[in-house]
């Protein structure tokens, strides 16, 4: 009897532990991720004033649900006194938040983001002391994205010697991270987790010392800057980067990429531009997002100019009127006043979708560590509906792989291309890579892409673009390679044309050359029928593709789900093509079942061509998306 009682008690305790574990997983404000914010050192110092501390918390917490807050100890040569840090930390813990630390290693942000000089011993010691101080106060802290070096003072010039700036800075900062930040922090607090947050301009990291090859191996984790703001502003980052960069960093450090980071930049374009950045960050299945920063959540006021013109049509995924409407919380009626409410509504809506999506997949693109060329091109390709899956190492076992000019960094790239083709796989190279490895690639296919340019606007039976633009001319031997998509000015009724998508065979595989315009943004000018052929040709590993205009992205997952998102300022009609026979396509949120559209019968030789017509086992669905809206689908 006693034994039975012990077994029952043991079973009860195990069940209780299991329940507690389950509760802890879902104890946050969201089901599928955690939402945090960050307070800069100067603002933490202001919170010594109780009135300021409490009033800002009331404004922010009433409008957005938060799980964690990061308190910065140092920025711009200023360190918050320990007494103030402890007071503010205790306050936020009393509000039920997790509290971590933060550091920004800048001496003066207003002076071109002036960093510390790591060739100067006194400044190295300052960095070390700041790390030790922060580790004493917190069990985890994150470096804001200034742990690089942008200085060329006399000390740095002397230390560089005969090395290139990139070589010097990569070694300098990889060593500094270990010697001045991680090791000193752990000497003070052995259980501290030290996290490096990388900014959004990943293709230029190596030039300023961010070392994506070494740093993720000794930092306890990394974070990802997913701010894309206004694509027409200084960085020219495309919307898709908010998703793509997280996936790239996931592939650099699997399981150790902690989250994304979005600020208010771009909100001047409309509330939708801010909401899209949050939504795209979470589509990457990242476990946490930081809303940078706390004072923006408090200070950036809602104004009617944040309502875009397309909002008047209705039916949008991000609904301004709903976001600014009064709501009830803790028995009080609250009228939203700041952008914090935009974040709250967007993230809760996205949360409903996230649990239904599997692991993100896409067309593998190989970008070796510290490589340059055709910078950020994958984000433009993502904006024309090609789902990207960037990796810093060569990936075997895929049906297709995309190589941009960055792949020229790998001295064995042609041998890897041959191996992929001999296995029966496809290799897609860009004109930038063709120019970089032309002589080596001649052993596979004799192609030429030099300095000759062409102005085009006519894609023949695939339609015309609305503007003229410049492309590089690809030269090839007739009947050794074949044009799949061509363009000219004009092409129909004209006298010359140039490859947009070219193909060649080698062993059991196929080599494609994708022509990239001089201005990557002109990819958006390719007419929809031309884009459809490109998407169809590059969908083997994805299982589905979309047909329609540019500025529509496809986000596929390994459980036969996908998200389709429209970044255009107008409604678009699309086709979703599944590369298999399925009976329906379901809306993941509403449960609505979409029935297949009737496939057109092949017309003549071109209709039966594998690049121009639908495959026999394809299933096609028609959908409509409002401006700046998305839909989750499963099959």
């Amino acid at each position: 009897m006693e034994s039975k009682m012990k077994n029952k008690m043991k079973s009860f305790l195990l069940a209780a532990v299991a329940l507690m574990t389950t509760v802890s997983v879902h104890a946050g404000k969201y089901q599928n991720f955690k939402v945090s914010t960050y307070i800069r050192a100067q603002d933490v110092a202001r919170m010594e004033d109780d009135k300021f501390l409490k009033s800002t918390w009331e404004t922010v917490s009433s409008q957005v649900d938060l799980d964690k807050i990061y308190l910065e100890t140092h920025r711009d040569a200023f360190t918050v006194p320990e007494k103030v840090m402890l007071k503010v930390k205790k306050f936020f813990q009393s509000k039920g938040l997790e509290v971590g630390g933060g550091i920004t290693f800048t001496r003066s942000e207003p002076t071109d983001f002036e960093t510390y000089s790591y060739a100067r011993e006194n400044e190295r010691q300052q960095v070390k002391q700041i790390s030790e101080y922060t580790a004493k106060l917190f069990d985890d802290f994150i470096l804001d994205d200034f742990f690089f070096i942008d200085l060329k003072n006399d000390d740095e010039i002397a230390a560089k010697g005969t090395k290139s700036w990139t070589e010097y800075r990569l070694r300098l900062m990889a060593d500094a991270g270990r010697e001045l930040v991680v090791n000193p922090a752990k000497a003070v607090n052995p259980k501290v987790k030290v996290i490096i947050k990388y900014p959004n301009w990943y293709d230029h990291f190596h030039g300023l010392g961010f070392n994506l090859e070494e740093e993720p191996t000794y930092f306890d984790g990394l974070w990802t800057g997913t701010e894309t703001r206004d694509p027409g502003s200084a960085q020219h980052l495309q919307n898709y980067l908010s998703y793509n960069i997280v996936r790239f960093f996931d592939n650099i450090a699997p399981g150790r990429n902690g989250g994304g980071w979005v600020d208010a930049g771009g909100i001047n374009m409309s509330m939708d531009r801010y909401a899209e950045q949050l939504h795209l960050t979470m589509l990457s299945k990242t476990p946490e997002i930081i809303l940078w920063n706390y004072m923006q959540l408090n200070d950036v006021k809602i104004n009617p100019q944040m309502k875009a013109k397309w909002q008047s049509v209705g039916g949008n995924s991000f609904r301004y009127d709903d976001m600014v409407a009064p709501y009830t919380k803790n028995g009080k009626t609250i009228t939203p006043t700041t952008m914090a409410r935009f974040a709250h509504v967007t993230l809760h809506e996205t949360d409903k979708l996230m649990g239904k999506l599997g692991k993100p997949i896409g067309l593998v693109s190989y970008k070796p560590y510290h490589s340059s060329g055709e910078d950020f091109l994958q984000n433009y390709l993502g904006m024309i509906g090609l789902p990207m899956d960037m990796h810093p190492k060569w990936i075997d076992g895929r049906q297709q792989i995309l190589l941009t000019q960055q792949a020229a960094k790998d001295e064995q790239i042609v041998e890897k291309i041959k191996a992929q083709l001999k296995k029966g796989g496809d290799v897609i190279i860009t004109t930038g890579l063709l120019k970089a490895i032309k002589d080596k690639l001649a052993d596979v296919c004799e192609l030429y892409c030099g300095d000759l340019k062409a102005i085009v606007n006519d894609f023949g039976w695939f339609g015309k673009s609305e503007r003229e633009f410049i492309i590089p001319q690809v030269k090839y031997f007739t009947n050794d390679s074949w044009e799949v998509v061509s363009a000219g000015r004009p092409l129909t009724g004209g006298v010359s044309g140039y490859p947009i998508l070219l193909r060649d065979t080698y062993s059991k595989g196929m080599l494609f050359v994708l022509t990239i315009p001089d201005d990557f943004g002109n990819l958006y000018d390719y007419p929809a029928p031309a884009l459809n052929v490109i998407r169809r040709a590059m969908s083997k590993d994805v299982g589905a593709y979309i047909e329609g205009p540019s500025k529509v992205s496809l986000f596929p997952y390994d459980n036969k789900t996908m998200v389709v998102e429209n970044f255009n300022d107008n409604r678009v009609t699309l086709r979703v093509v599944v590369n298999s026979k399925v009976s329906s396509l379901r809306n993941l949120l509403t449960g609505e079942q979409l029935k297949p559209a009737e496939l057109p019968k092949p017309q003549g030789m071109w209709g039966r061509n594998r690049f121009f017509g639908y495959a026999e086992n394809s299933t096609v669905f028609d959908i409509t998306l409002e401006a700046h809206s998305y839909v989750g689908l499963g099959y």
Side-chain angles (χ1 to χ4, degrees):
M1 183 73 174
E2 185 178 351
S3 177
K4 288 184 178 179
M5 288 295 292
K6 285 182 178 179
N7 287 336
K8 284 185 178 180
M9 180 61 70
K10 184 178 180 181
S11 298
F12 172 80
L13 290 173
L14 288 172
V17 170
L19 178 61
M20 289 171 65
T21 302
T22 302
V23 169
S24 68
V25 170
H26 300 292
K29 310 297 194 306
Y30 305 83
Q31 292 296 309
N32 298 289
F33 47 77
K34 183 185 296 183
V35 176
S36 307
T37 191
Y38 186 103
I39 307 182
R40 295 176 302 176
Q42 287 76 6
D43 296 317
V44 174
R46 294 169 67 193
M47 289 176 176
E48 185 176 14
D49 179 350
D50 284 343
K51 183 178 180 181
F52 179 76
L53 175 61
K54 293 175 181 178
S55 65
T56 54
W57 171 246
E58 175 62 27
T59 297
V60 173
S61 65
S62 67
Q63 295 182 91
V64 62
D65 291 332
L66 296 172
D67 299 301
K68 186 171 183 176
I69 199 159
Y70 294 83
L71 306 178
E72 189 176 73
T73 60
H74 177 89
R75 176 181 292 256
D76 282 9
F78 169 75
T79 301
V80 183
E82 183 174 349
K83 180 181 178 181
V84 178
M85 290 299 309
L86 292 174
K87 172 186 175 177
V88 178
K89 177 182 177 182
K90 182 179 180 181
F91 173 84
F92 286 113
Q93 287 176 327
S94 74
K95 301 303 178 182
L97 297 184
E98 297 178 49
V99 182
I103 301 173
T104 298
F105 284 117
T106 51
R107 296 190 63 81
S108 175
E109 279 188 83
T111 309
D112 296 329
F113 305 116
E114 181 187 347
T115 65
Y116 279 83
S117 180
Y118 294 89
R120 292 174 174 172
E121 185 57 31
N122 65 319
E123 295 192 27
R124 291 173 63 86
Q125 289 305 310
Q126 290 173 37
V127 169
K128 180 174 178 287
Q129 291 163 9
I130 294 162
S131 302
E132 293 169 335
Y133 172 64
T134 306
K136 183 175 72 171
L137 297 173
F138 300 100
D139 287 338
D140 68 303
F141 66 85
I142 188 168
L143 307 186
D144 193 359
D145 55 15
F146 292 93
F147 192 62
F148 60 81
I149 183 165
D150 57 2
L151 303 175
K152 293 179 180 176
N153 58 43
D154 290 343
D155 293 314
E156 298 293 343
I157 293 170
K160 180 183 82 71
T162 59
K163 297 177 183 176
S164 71
W165 280 108
T166 292
E167 290 171 333
Y168 166 67
R169 288 170 167 176
L170 281 172
R171 182 75 271 131
L172 177 73
M173 298 309 297
D175 292 341
R178 186 183 290 107
E179 298 167 1
L180 305 180
V181 182
V182 175
N183 290 349
K186 290 183 181 292
V188 170
N189 180 358
K191 63 182 179 180
V192 71
K193 303 297 183 187
V194 186
I195 302 158
I196 182 168
K197 183 258 179 176
Y198 291 111
N200 47 18
W201 37 276
Y202 63 87
D203 262 335
H204 301 157
F205 279 179
H206 46 289
L208 286 93
F210 275 130
N211 194 322
L212 288 177
E213 186 172 17
E214 293 187 43
E215 289 169 352
T217 66
Y218 65 80
F219 277 98
D220 295 298
L222 58 138
W223 270 66
T224 310
T226 55
E227 317 96 320
T228 47
R229 310 183 185 103
D230 179 353
S233 63
Q235 291 180 312
H236 310 296
L237 300 176
Q238 305 305 292
N239 308 32
Y240 189 82
L241 180 141
S242 292
Y243 165 90
N244 189 40
I245 189 173
V246 181
R247 295 293 307 125
F248 181 43
F249 290 175
D250 282 348
N251 291 329
I252 288 174
R256 301 175 63 240
N257 187 11
W261 176 300
V262 173
D263 62 27
I267 203 168
N268 59 293
M269 298 181 69
S270 74
M271 170 276 299
D272 302 66
R273 182 76 279 273
Y274 175 62
E276 283 170 349
Q277 294 173 77
L278 303 174
H279 173 73
L280 291 171
T281 299
M282 306 325 292
L283 285 188
S284 70
K285 301 300 294 283
T286 192
E288 187 175 344
I289 186 170
I290 287 180
L291 306 176
W292 201 93
N293 65 63
Y294 184 82
M295 292 311 300
Q296 288 186 347
L297 297 175
N298 182 79
D299 293 344
V300 179
K301 305 300 182 185
I302 294 173
N303 70 71
Q305 292 181 344
M306 294 176 180
K307 182 176 181 178
K309 60 181 183 299
W310 51 82
Q311 287 278 337
S312 60
V313 176
N316 308 89
S317 295
F318 309 110
R319 297 174 295 279
Y320 176 89
D321 289 343
D322 291 351
M323 292 186 182
V324 300
Y327 57 95
T328 301
K329 185 172 185 177
N330 298 328
K332 293 174 58 178
T333 299
I334 300 171
T335 298
T337 57
T338 78
M339 61 173 267
R341 183 63 179 172
F342 297 154
H344 175 96
V345 176
T346 299
L347 291 168
H348 274 288
E349 286 294 311
T350 301
D351 195 22
K352 296 175 184 177
L353 181 61
M354 297 316 300
K356 303 178 186 297
L357 304 175
K359 179 182 177 181
I361 58 175
L363 172 62
V364 167
S365 179
Y366 171 42
K367 171 184 164 48
Y369 290 112
H370 319 317
S371 58
S372 297
E374 294 181 315
D375 294 347
F376 305 106
L377 174 60
Q378 287 90 343
N379 301 299
Y380 291 85
L381 298 177
M383 292 291 287
I384 62 170
L386 293 175
M388 294 287 101
D389 185 19
M390 293 170 57
H391 288 259
K393 296 180 180 180
W394 181 271
I395 301 296
D396 284 316
R398 303 300 174 94
Q399 295 183 74
Q400 297 183 304
I401 190 163
L402 168 70
L403 305 175
T404 71
Q405 188 179 351
Q406 298 159 345
K409 175 80 173 179
D410 186 340
E411 294 181 357
Q412 301 300 315
I413 191 60
V414 173
E415 294 309 311
K416 291 175 179 176
I417 289 173
K418 288 179 182 179
Q420 169 77 357
L421 295 171
K422 287 180 178 179
K423 293 175 184 176
D426 295 345
V427 176
I428 304 144
I429 69 170
T430 63
T431 41
L433 180 61
L434 174 58
K435 290 180 70 171
I437 64 170
K438 175 183 72 73
D439 293 337
K440 295 179 180 179
L441 189 67
D443 201 34
V444 176
C445 182
E446 292 179 305
L447 300 168
Y448 176 76
C449 184
D451 296 327
L452 293 175
K453 306 291 184 180
I455 300 174
V456 300
N457 66 351
D458 184 359
F459 288 69
W461 52 74
F462 297 124
K464 292 186 177 182
S465 59
E466 294 185 358
R467 73 184 86 192
E468 296 179 339
F469 53 89
I470 300 172
I471 62 170
Q473 293 185 23
V474 178
K475 303 296 185 181
Y476 61 95
F477 291 140
T478 300
N479 288 333
D480 183 58
S481 301
W482 294 267
E483 295 184 33
V484 181
V485 179
S486 308
R489 188 186 63 164
L491 184 65
T492 305
V495 294
S496 58
Y498 309 93
I500 294 295
L501 183 65
L502 187 76
R503 68 178 178 88
D504 189 19
T505 56
Y506 180 88
S507 185
K508 295 182 285 293
M510 191 169 297
L511 176 77
F512 291 91
V513 179
L514 180 63
T515 296
I516 304 300
D518 284 16
D519 178 351
F520 298 166
N522 288 135
L523 286 164
Y524 306 156
D525 296 316
Y526 286 17
L531 292 176
N532 295 344
V533 174
I534 293 169
R535 296 166 182 145
R536 183 179 301 130
M538 302 180 189
S539 66
K540 290 183 179 180
D541 285 311
V542 177
Y545 61 93
I546 57 174
E547 293 189 333
S550 63
K551 293 189 178 180
V552 180
S553 294
L554 173 67
F555 304 91
Y557 299 83
D558 67 354
N559 63 340
K560 296 185 178 181
T561 62
M562 67 184 83
V563 174
V564 183
E565 186 148 357
N566 175 23
F567 297 103
N568 288 283
D569 294 349
N570 53 275
R571 177 191 297 130
V572 297
T573 299
L574 304 164
R575 280 201 151 172
V576 175
V577 183
V578 179
N579 294 337
S580 59
K581 285 295 184 185
V582 297
S583 59
S584 64
L585 197 62
R586 72 185 184 280
N587 185 307
L588 295 179
L589 292 181
T590 68
E592 177 188 0
Q593 299 284 332
L594 303 178
K595 295 302 180 185
E598 186 175 344
L599 285 174
K601 294 182 180 180
Q603 299 294 319
M605 173 179 128
W606 297 117
R608 293 178 174 83
N609 186 289
R610 58 183 150 168
F611 299 110
F612 304 150
Y614 296 109
E616 288 185 9
N617 62 342
S618 297
T619 314
V620 177
F621 300 88
D622 293 329
I623 65 170
T624 299
L625 279 178
E626 296 296 337
H628 296 271
S629 294
Y630 64 89
V631 63
L633 301 167
Y635 60 94

